[in-house]
Structures are given as C-alpha cells and as structure tokens.
C-alpha cells in the first residue's frame, strides 16, 4: 500500500519585490536618457587652408532712471534707437545686446526696447547686479 500525500509541494518564485526593482530601473533609464544628447555625433572634421571668421558684434544698451538711452556710453533718443541699431548691426549675423536698465524704470519701457530687438532679430541679454 502506497501512502500519498494530500498536498503536493509546488515550487514558487516570489516576485513581489520585482515590481519595485523594475520601477527603479525604468526611472533610472528615463533620467539617464534625458541627460544624454542623442543628436551629438563625434566627427573628425576636415581642415581647410582658408578659414572664414564669423563677425560677432555685441553692444551695451543702457537706460537710466530719466529714460535716457545710451549705446556704448553715447546718448541717443528713443525715436532714433531703431535706426541706429540697424546701422550698427548691418551685415552682422550674430546680433547681441546687453541691456543695462535702472531698477526704478517701468516695465513698459523695457518691453518697448525688447520689441525693437525682436523686430530686428537681436538677442537681448539683461545685465543684473549681484
């Protein structure tokens, strides 16, 4: 007579902690993938005997609390500012202006200057104190 066990032993793998591990791995790879730049390709660029230099011009536009405009320490009227910027940046590809605006000046005055720069496709950088 053969005695049989009523319950058979079934092997079991506990997968309760695998959900947490998979979540952390997914989170890790998502963070790493956003940090890396996939559009960068390392190339050995050819050399040329004649090079062309990009002409870059940067000026400073200062506005004091009496709404007096200065282009590189030269006072200028607001009405003539747009024409003067066109003359300064004629033929220049990379246009940049460093704005130095008095803190007591109204925001609308700053917006007016930013609109002038936007019309002429000029990058405006705001200078601040520490």
């Amino acid at each position: 007579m053969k005695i049989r066990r009523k319950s058979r032993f079934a092997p079991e793998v506990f997968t309760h902690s695998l959900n947490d591990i998979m979540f952390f791995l997914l989170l890790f790879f998502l963070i790493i993938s956003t940090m890396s730049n996939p559009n960068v390709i390392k190339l050995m660029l050819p050399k040329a005997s004649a090079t062309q230099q990009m002409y870059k011009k940067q000026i400073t536009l200062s506005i004091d609390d009496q709404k007096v405009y200065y282009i590189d320490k030269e006072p200028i009227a607001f009405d003539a500012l747009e024409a003067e910027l066109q003359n300064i940046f004629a033929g220049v590809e990379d246009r940049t202006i460093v704005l130095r605006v008095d803190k007591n000046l109204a925001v609308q005055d700053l917006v007016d200057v930013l609109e002038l720069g936007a019309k002429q496709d000029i990058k405006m950088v705001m200078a601040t104190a520490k």
Side-chain angles (χ1 to χ4, degrees), residues 61-78:
L61 177 62
S62 303
I63 309 169
D64 65 4
D65 55 347
Q66 273 82 35
K67 294 185 186 178
V68 178
Y69 296 85
Y70 298 93
I71 294 181
D72 292 333
K73 298 182 181 179
E74 295 294 324
I76 189 166
F78 180 75

Side-chain angles (χ1 to χ4, degrees), residues 62-66 100-106 126:
S62 303
I63 309 169
D64 65 4
D65 55 347
Q66 273 82 35
R100 299 180 69 235
V101 182
D102 191 83
K103 67 180 179 180
N104 298 325
L105 206 61
M126 186 78 154

Side-chain angles (χ1 to χ4, degrees), residues 56-115:
K56 194 182 232 188
K57 188 161 191 171
Q58 174 181 336
I59 64 169
T60 302
L61 177 62
S62 303
I63 309 169
D64 65 4
D65 55 347
Q66 273 82 35
K67 294 185 186 178
V68 178
Y69 296 85
Y70 298 93
I71 294 181
D72 292 333
K73 298 182 181 179
E74 295 294 324
I76 189 166
F78 180 75
D79 300 333
L81 185 62
E82 186 173 3
E84 184 67 25
L85 291 176
Q86 284 178 347
N87 291 338
I88 290 173
F89 288 122
V92 178
E93 289 182 28
D94 192 12
R95 304 169 176 191
T96 306
I97 291 180
V98 177
L99 284 175
R100 299 180 69 235
V101 182
D102 191 83
K103 67 180 179 180
N104 298 325
L105 206 61
V107 175
Q108 185 60 47
D109 298 321
L110 176 63
V111 170
D112 293 339
V113 173
L114 292 175
E115 283 179 348

